[in-house]
């Protein structure tokens, strides 16, 4: 791939021409790339090719802290939005979700390679104020939104220490803001202390960005088929208990929670890698990886609680660069990063409830596969007008035949019939 050298220095047209030279793309494929070109996106990332479209839908019924939200979700997986709306509806019947986001304080680390850990600690003790002054000078406008809260010193091992800066980043995710401060502090340490700084970067650990959301589901909202609401509630609580003690189940339990949270994080132009990293490192913070939610049966119904860090912002980064992200803030109608975190935790709780209810009653496939059949039809080459026909034909087949091979056969048959009819 010698030809690709300097790809990033070429114009868009030259990049596309070179790509088609080295990769066998046909005219239709090149046209797809061109159709989704967006000049703004070209300024957002490097070696820009095109915009990759993901479907967006709206989850309904979500009530958090007394307010009902319409929640834009960007996700490629069928049944996620239906499940979020379903879980939110059950929680709404219990009065809605109550959520409290702790703070927007982000932690940053300057990791120092120390010849003498105790000497660095001494220097730190005498320079705490000076360090905070340097950090502030690197981004003085931070005081408009939040500010520097504290600086701490931690010993990592006998030759590494971490100087930790805690900054309230206001309504932004705050990574760039904090990183600029940390690099200024790193320069100060190298100049004044004469120790080598290994790196300076924010921590995605998110322990100051924890949100707790709780909700109550009346038994009547849980009844399913032959099972009473009390029985379903007991099964959901038991399922959550298993996730709390068994990491293999916890991984799937938490994936279900993140189905919803990630979809909103993507829809609002936030950094979903940061949110994922914070969630899973929090789930494993005590050594054993655990479920992020708990459910317990009370006299009044099923009570749910989710607790996880959700470090997101409503300004900065790509939040107001991507066109649809800007529209999504209008749909969501949120006014602060803390409100956003509360809504996201609510989505996670609702998503988890719907998945657990399906799992302990009908099984996930009944609801999920009904919606998944549409993807199967599309994968088999059905056009949007053929999807309904293919799905209803698939539904008439026995469960074990509702697969891609049969979808292909049905699509081929439809195409044949259409050709014959012409
Ligand atoms: C699929 C449902 C919702 C059916 O649920 P249902 O109870 O059969 O459906 P319903 O027709 O009685 O509808 C109940 C409500 O669900 C919503 N709803 C229902 N259908 C739709 C739809 N088509 N489009 C939009 N919303 C829909 C809607 O809010 C509706 O209320 P309504 O508005 O009618 O008064 C249910 O079975 C469910 O919630 N399943 C869970 C599905 C799920 O979690 N999918 C994620 C993919 S699986 C996974 O990745 C996670 C997992 C499961 O592994 C996590 C874990 O293991 O913990
Ligand atoms: N490990 C990680 O997670 C890393 C993530 N990133 C990336 O960093 C980006 C996010 O960084 P972030 O610093 O949030 O974004 P920006 O660099 O866009 O900075 C946010 C800016 O928004 C302005 N602002 C306006 N109103 C407010 C308000 N109410 N509260 C706070 N700030 C406000 C501030 O500008 P002003 O001060 O000028 O007024 C602030 O500097 C994301 O793209 C992320 O992917 C980058 C590095 C590492």
């Amino acid at each position: 791939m010698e030809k690709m050298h300097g790809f990033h220095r070429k114009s868009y047209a030259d990049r596309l021409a070179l790509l088609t030279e080295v990769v066998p793309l046909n005219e239709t494929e090149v046209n797809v790339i061109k159709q989704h070109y967006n000049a703004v996106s070209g300024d957002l990332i490097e070696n820009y090719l095109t915009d990759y479209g993901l479907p967006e839908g709206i989850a309904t019924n979500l009530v958090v802290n007394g307010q009902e939200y319409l929640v834009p979700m960007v996700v490629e997986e069928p049944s996620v939005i239906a499940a979020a709306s379903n879980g939110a509806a059950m929680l709404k019947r219990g009065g809605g979700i109550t959520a409290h986001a702790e703070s927007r304080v982000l932690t940053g680390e300057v990791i120092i390679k120390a010849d003498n850990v105790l000497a660095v600690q001494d220097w730190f003790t005498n320079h705490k104020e000076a360090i905070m002054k340097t950090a502030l000078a690197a981004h003085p406008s931070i005081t408009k939104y939040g500010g520097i809260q504290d600086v701490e010193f931690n010993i990592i091992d006998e030759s590494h220490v971490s100087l930790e800066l805690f900054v309230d980043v206001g309504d932004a995710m705050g990574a760039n803001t904090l990183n600029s401060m940390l690099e200024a502090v790193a320069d100060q340490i190298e100049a004044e202390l004469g120790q080598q700084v290994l790196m300076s970067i924010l921590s995605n650990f998110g322990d100051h960005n924890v949100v707790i959301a709780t909700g109550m589901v009346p038994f009547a909202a849980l009844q399913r088929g032959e099972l009473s609401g009390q029985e379903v509630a007991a099964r959901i609580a038991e399922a959550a208990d298993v996730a709390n003690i068994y990491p293999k189940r916890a991984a799937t339990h938490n994936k279900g929670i993140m189905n919803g949270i990630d979809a909103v994080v993507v829809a609002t132009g936030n950094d979903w890698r940061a949110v994922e990293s914070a969630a899973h490192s929090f789930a494993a913070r005590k050594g054993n990886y655990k479920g992020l939610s708990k459910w317990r049966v009370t006299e009044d119904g099923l009570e749910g609680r989710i607790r996880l860090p959700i470090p997101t912002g409503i300004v900065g980064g790509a939040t107001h660069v991507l066109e649809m992200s800007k529209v999504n803030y209008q749909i969501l109608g949120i006014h602060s990063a803390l409100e956003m975190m509360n809504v996201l935790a609510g989505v996670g709780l609702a998503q988890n409830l719907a998945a657990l209810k399906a799992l302990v009653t009908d099984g996930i496939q009944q609801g999920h596969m009904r919606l998944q059949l549409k993807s199967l039809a599309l994968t088999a080459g059905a056009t949007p007008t053929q999807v309904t026909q293919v799905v209803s034909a698939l539904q008439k087949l026995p469960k074990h035949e509702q697969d891609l091979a049969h979808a292909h056969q049905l699509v081929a048959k439809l195409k044949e019939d259409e050709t014959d009819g012409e």
Side-chain angles (χ1 to χ4, degrees), residues 61 77 79 82-83 85-86 224 249 252 255-256 259 354-355 359 364:
N61 309 318
E77 189 177 3
S79 90
S85 308
N86 186 24
R224 188 78 176 170
R249 171 56 206 155
T252 325
K255 186 273 183 186
N259 270 343
L359 286 168
I364 200 72

Side-chain angles (χ1 to χ4, degrees), residues 58-61 77-90 224 249-257 259 350-359 361-372 374:
I58 303 284
T60 56
N61 309 318
E77 189 177 3
S79 90
V80 168
I81 296 175
S85 308
N86 186 24
M90 289 186 266
R224 188 78 176 170
R249 171 56 206 155
T252 325
H253 182 95
N254 291 344
K255 186 273 183 186
I257 290 170
N259 270 343
Q351 198 77 52
N352 182 230
L353 170 65
L356 292 183
K357 184 183 174 197
L359 286 168
T361 57
D362 309 333
I364 200 72
Q365 292 304 74
Q366 183 166 313
H368 179 71
M369 273 318 280
R370 190 154 45 87
L371 302 170
Q372 176 77 30
K374 289 190 199 167

Side-chain angles (χ1 to χ4, degrees), residues 139 141 145 169 171-177 179 202 204 271 315-317:
H139 203 112
S141 60
Y145 316 115
V169 289
D171 287 319
M173 183 233 175
N176 287 323
T177 307
N179 288 341
L202 84 151
N204 288 108
D271 183 337
V315 295

Side-chain angles (χ1 to χ4, degrees), residues 87-160:
M90 289 186 266
L91 285 154
K92 188 179 173 183
R93 286 175 67 177
I97 296 158
T98 304
H100 176 73
E102 189 190 357
S103 82
R104 286 298 304 126
V105 172
L106 207 57
T107 308
E109 296 177 317
V110 179
I111 298 183
I112 305 161
K113 225 168 132 43
D115 302 332
N116 180 341
V117 166
L118 295 177
V120 178
Q121 188 167 23
D122 266 358
W123 181 86
F124 167 78
T125 312
N126 296 321
H127 289 79
K128 228 176 137 172
E129 291 303 315
I131 291 165
M132 295 212 260
K133 216 168 141 190
T134 302
L136 183 60
H139 203 112
S141 60
I142 192 65
T143 46
K144 280 195 277 176
Y145 316 115
I148 301 171
Q149 307 270 303
D150 202 1
V151 58
E152 261 180 23
F153 179 85
N154 277 318
I155 296 174
I156 299 172
D157 64 16
E158 63 283 354
S159 50
H160 295 98

